[in-house]
Amino acid sequence: MKQLIRRAAALLSYGFLVSTSLLAPVLAQTPAPGPQKAAIMSRWEKQVTPENAWREYPRPQMVRSNWQNLNGMWEYAIRPKTEGQPTKFDGQILVPFAVESTLSKVTKSLTPDQRLWYRRNITIPAAWNGQRVLLHFGAVDYECNLWVNGGLVGSHTGGSDPFEFDITDFLKSGQNQVVLGVTDPTSNDEQPRGKQVFNPNGIWYTPVSGIWQTVWLEPVPKSNYIEEVRITPELDSSRIRVEVLLNKPITSPTSAIRLTALDGTQTVSSLVVRSGRAAYVPISNPKLWTPDSPFLYNLKAELVTVTDPFAGTENRNRPRHNEAERSAYAKAQVTGNPADAVTSYFAMRKISMGPGPIAGQPMLLLNNKVVFQNGPLDQGWWPGSLLTPPSDDAMIFELDFLKKSGFNMLRKHIKVEPARYYYHCDRLGMLVWQDMPSGFVDGQDMHPSESVEPLRRSKGKEQFELELRRMMNRLHNHPSIVTWVVHNEGWGQYDNVRMANWVKALDPSRLVNAASGWTDLGAGDFYDIHTYHEVPHVPEAKKDRVIVVGEFGGIGWPVTGHLWDPNKRNWGYQTYHDKDAVLKAYRTKYGKMVEMYQKNGVSAAVYTQTTDVEGEVNGLLTYDREVIKIPIETLREIHAPLFK
């Protein structure tokens, strides 16, 4: 309790309106009574059926034409985790929606001492004979084991990252049985989980367990295939760096990668490089990607065979890792058909910091020009489907609303979305600050009044850094993502300076926000404050970093008929009960942001938030997305001075 009181006092000093109901969930908990069916749902959630649940291709950055969607009805069972596979299942669950969600058709809790079982039969198309078969999971929260036809295929730990298993050796002709067992400690352990807690209230929400993104099958060539394509734009050099990684290296000098960049269907550049080498694809007179003009190039990567560029040359005399080798492969003759091919896309854009109009205060630059980044805190929760967006159309509606309202950025708050979300940000022109989902238990959060980071167990740090690296690797190709946010408000913060440097070394092409809000240790590219005062506070000037307001706003308006639970304390950081008061408060807060931009060199502002979430009613939209609290045209007019 002393810790809670101390945290409340610290929060009040930062301008928060809090109660112990917001703070209590940070303690280790026992599960509350099970989740209830959603009292409200969005129009897209109401349209979901087993036949239409997430039918789109799930990986837009690396597309193959052949695949099989496994979303739909699976069998499920919940048993003590000490028991083996059940012989009898409890009923059916709609994949890919979490077991706690209304759309799953189950709406039950999963406790730390239980295991959630999934089962379904699959049939492999005859046309896939002679190929390897990969079983992909978009995300499973949190730890899972996979059996196919009774054989243990493998396991995975991590709640937000996509992964796959090669199930070829376990398959037989006809029907095949797939069984997945899942455990999830939720808030009883320190794993990255974002805002999930057993007793949701305040800023903490309903847990998500089990499969919560698309499950799908894919055939790949039997021997070698393209496993990863990594694309980094180098705008100042008018080129892209492309790294094509195979499932296993090929040492033969006749193995090569052919890359073709296209503007629509018209080739703008093409080259061949030896497999296992980075390629630099020139893009002359590049069309720049901006929020106003989000131009995307297409890219095709093919695994090909070429005539030996150095036939007749002794092995020790063959050039390696230099321009001579690149030149030789660029001239090599491709023979036969590609062994494998995937399509992708990229954008020519650069994010950096540099001089702005305020002397001595660096600002955020996009393509070497100052562009103010104005966006909402975007938590990505839905009343009927929780962390899983109900559909492509639902995501597009939100992004379109934000764009039309004069936002050019969003901060994806301690959640990782499905890959298709970032694809829509790429094509619609929405800059993204991507948070790493927080993970901690009581005693591991760093309070704003403290300057010493709490100790964290080695295994917790190892898992956090593993999942952070996975997130960065899986999302690397999305041009919309311009900033990695390492820690939020001290939640599980540790080694912040080292972590910021590590993230920057892993991805020098983006900026790093080391600590959004609370205790700043001088790390990363940002000095980021959170201010929920009625008139936002101004960040200190910093000569070595950009200054941003990483959270502000929090104007609450509980709209009758659109509340997650009318009996809850539906709260805002400041709460009003009519549209005129809400609009007046919004104008006041954004008026201060315009002043900070013009007079102080503030580079970005993040308004809390896109939508209401459960009992938190700070949204520009209600939780069911049915009520827009401030008209789009008014929002756009209020934001307009930030772009002059």
Side-chain angles (χ1 to χ4, degrees):
M1 183 57 70
K2 288 181 180 178
Q3 200 166 41
L4 293 177
I5 294 171
R6 182 173 54 148
R7 186 176 183 192
L11 288 167
L12 285 169
S13 73
Y14 272 61
F16 286 90
L17 301 180
V18 300
S19 73
T20 54
S21 68
L22 271 69
L23 303 175
V26 302
L27 300 170
Q29 303 163 51
T30 54
Q36 303 298 310
K37 289 188 177 180
I40 56 171
M41 287 200 292
S42 69
R43 71 195 79 162
W44 302 277
E45 289 168 309
K46 295 175 183 177
Q47 295 167 0
V48 171
T49 68
E51 292 72 35
N52 68 16
W54 277 107
R55 309 317 296 176
E56 295 83 5
Y57 189 81
R59 192 183 58 195
Q61 275 283 0
M62 202 175 93
V63 178
R64 289 189 178 92
S65 57
N66 290 328
W67 69 295
Q68 184 182 128
N69 194 313
L70 296 183
N71 293 338
M73 302 308 298
W74 294 45
E75 294 179 283
Y76 89 94
I78 298 175
R79 298 287 187 272
K81 70 178 182 181
T82 53
E83 293 184 3
Q85 290 187 26
T87 56
K88 184 178 179 181
F89 280 64
D90 299 342
Q92 291 195 314
I93 184 171
L94 178 54
V95 169
F97 300 105
V99 68
E100 295 90 349
S101 72
T102 299
L103 288 196
S104 72
K105 304 185 184 299
V106 177
T107 320
K108 293 180 180 177
S109 293
L110 182 69
T111 64
D113 59 354
Q114 293 177 324
R115 193 181 309 273
L116 169 63
W117 294 94
Y118 294 84
R119 185 173 71 181
R120 70 159 290 166
N121 291 327
I122 61 173
T123 301
I124 308 302
W128 295 9
N129 289 345
Q131 301 179 83
R132 308 297 296 180
V133 177
L134 306 181
L135 175 55
H136 293 267
F137 292 87
V140 176
D141 197 347
Y142 179 67
E143 185 171 0
C144 67
N145 296 278
L146 176 72
W147 290 263
V148 173
N149 294 325
L152 178 61
V153 179
S155 62
H156 178 80
T157 301
S160 297
D161 54 295
F163 58 96
E164 70 280 333
F165 297 107
D166 186 336
I167 63 172
T168 313
D169 295 339
F170 297 83
L171 296 173
K172 61 184 182 181
S173 60
Q175 282 197 341
N176 295 266
Q177 187 184 82
V178 173
V179 174
L180 188 76
V182 181
T183 57
D184 185 8
T186 306
S187 46
N188 272 21
D189 209 342
E190 62 182 3
Q191 82 288 352
R193 64 178 179 275
K195 288 195 169 186
Q196 303 176 55
V197 294
F198 279 123
N199 297 303
N201 62 84
I203 62 172
W204 312 96
Y205 314 135
T206 302
V208 167
S209 302
I211 298 170
W212 67 278
Q213 290 187 30
T214 291
V215 186
W216 55 294
L217 290 168
E218 175 187 39
V220 294
K222 187 174 183 179
S223 53
N224 292 94
Y225 59 88
I226 296 170
E227 188 172 85
E228 183 180 356
V229 178
R230 185 179 178 89
I231 310 166
T232 307
E234 297 184 356
L235 183 61
D236 293 338
S237 303
S238 296
R239 67 185 189 181
I240 56 170
R241 176 186 169 98
V242 184
E243 300 158 89
V244 177
L245 290 308
L246 306 179
N247 63 311
K248 54 186 177 182
I250 304 177
T251 58
S252 169
T254 61
S255 176
I257 302 295
R258 180 166 59 192
L259 296 165
T260 307
L262 304 104
D263 179 342
T265 57
Q266 183 177 356
T267 298
V268 298
S269 189
S270 182
L271 59 78
V272 176
V273 296
R274 185 172 182 174
S275 62
R277 303 286 196 266
Y280 295 90
V281 183
I283 308 295
S284 59
N285 301 313
K287 297 180 180 179
L288 303 186
W289 185 97
T290 70
D292 293 329
S293 180
F295 183 82
L296 298 176
Y297 289 91
N298 293 319
L299 182 71
K300 187 173 185 178
E302 299 169 290
L303 175 58
V304 297
T305 300
V306 297
T307 54
D308 188 346
F310 303 108
T313 305
E314 291 187 23
N315 189 58
R316 65 177 181 271
N317 295 326
R318 293 187 174 193
R320 293 177 173 84
H321 302 285
N322 56 28
E323 290 302 322
E325 184 186 76
R326 291 193 186 100
S327 177
Y329 274 87
K331 298 173 184 176
Q333 183 70 37
V334 174
T335 62
N337 295 321
D340 192 18
V342 298
T343 57
S344 187
Y345 65 88
F346 66 93
M348 296 302 290
R349 71 99 181 91
K350 176 186 176 183
I351 185 69
S352 59
M353 65 177 184
I358 308 300
Q361 179 55 61
M363 295 189 71
L364 291 173
L365 307 181
L366 178 65
N367 303 330
N368 298 317
K369 295 180 180 179
V370 173
V371 174
F372 190 88
Q373 297 188 19
N374 178 44
L377 192 74
D378 196 289
Q379 307 211 56
W381 288 76
W382 297 80
S385 56
L386 303 178
L387 280 182
T388 310
S391 68
D392 238 31
D393 288 344
M395 299 190 302
I396 293 168
F397 165 82
E398 276 198 4
L399 293 171
D400 184 62
F401 161 74
L402 294 174
K403 289 280 293 184
K404 289 178 178 176
S405 299
F407 294 104
N408 63 354
M409 173 267 284
L410 62 83
R411 179 181 167 202
K412 182 49 63 177
H413 191 40
I414 56 175
K415 177 202 176 183
V416 181
E417 293 280 3
R420 291 194 64 83
Y421 181 90
Y422 302 99
Y423 160 68
H424 292 306
C425 290
D426 294 340
R427 70 177 187 84
L428 294 173
M430 181 64 77
L431 301 167
V432 176
W433 295 8
Q434 178 61 51
D435 286 15
M436 173 62 189
S438 299
F440 67 103
V441 294
D442 186 39
Q444 288 184 340
D445 53 332
M446 184 179 181
H447 301 279
S449 59
E450 298 176 335
S451 59
V452 178
E453 295 173 319
L455 295 176
R456 192 166 183 186
R457 293 183 296 170
S458 294
K459 70 175 186 178
K461 293 193 291 186
E462 290 162 4
Q463 187 63 30
F464 183 88
E465 291 172 37
L466 172 62
E467 294 189 44
L468 173 56
R469 181 192 283 268
R470 286 176 179 168
M471 180 185 77
M472 293 174 62
N473 286 343
R474 303 302 190 273
L475 299 179
H476 178 85
N477 290 355
H478 291 284
S480 57
I481 298 176
V482 292
T483 297
W484 301 117
V485 182
V486 181
H487 288 131
N488 176 74
E489 290 189 347
W491 300 353
Q493 182 172 326
Y494 72 95
D495 296 354
N496 189 248
V497 175
R498 176 184 69 82
M499 291 292 292
N501 292 336
W502 180 66
V503 169
K504 191 71 171 183
L506 286 174
D507 186 6
S509 72
R510 290 182 172 91
L511 298 179
V512 178
N513 189 341
S516 184
W518 293 18
T519 303
D520 176 74
L521 299 178
D525 301 306
F526 288 58
Y527 175 62
D528 179 335
I529 72 163
H530 294 179
T531 169
Y532 284 103
H533 301 80
E534 291 187 15
V535 178
H537 286 182
V538 182
E540 300 174 27
K542 298 287 180 181
K543 293 184 179 181
D544 60 335
R545 291 178 291 163
V546 298
I547 52 175
V548 303
V549 179
E551 290 183 27
F552 80 105
I555 299 170
W557 179 12
V559 180
T560 302
H562 300 274
L563 298 176
W564 167 252
D565 184 348
N567 300 315
K568 275 184 175 287
R569 176 182 174 268
N570 291 283
W571 66 278
Y573 290 94
Q574 294 101 38
T575 304
Y576 304 94
H577 295 277
D578 67 83
K579 63 181 180 181
D580 292 336
V582 168
L583 178 56
K584 181 180 178 181
Y586 195 87
R587 286 189 183 277
T588 297
K589 289 176 184 286
Y590 260 97
K592 190 63 177 179
M593 287 301 127
V594 173
E595 180 184 318
M596 290 185 199
Y597 168 52
Q598 295 174 345
K599 296 182 179 180
N600 303 97
V602 168
S603 282
V606 179
Y607 178 82
T608 301
Q609 58 192 352
T610 303
T611 72
D612 295 347
V613 184
E614 300 196 0
E616 187 176 347
V617 293
N618 299 302
L620 294 168
L621 301 168
T622 53
Y623 200 16
D624 57 8
R625 280 72 168 172
E626 286 300 316
V627 177
I628 298 174
K629 298 182 184 180
I630 300 175
I632 289 174
E633 297 78 10
T634 305
L635 290 171
R636 192 170 190 87
E637 172 255 315
I638 292 171
H639 299 154
L642 295 169
F643 304 109
K644 292 181 180 178

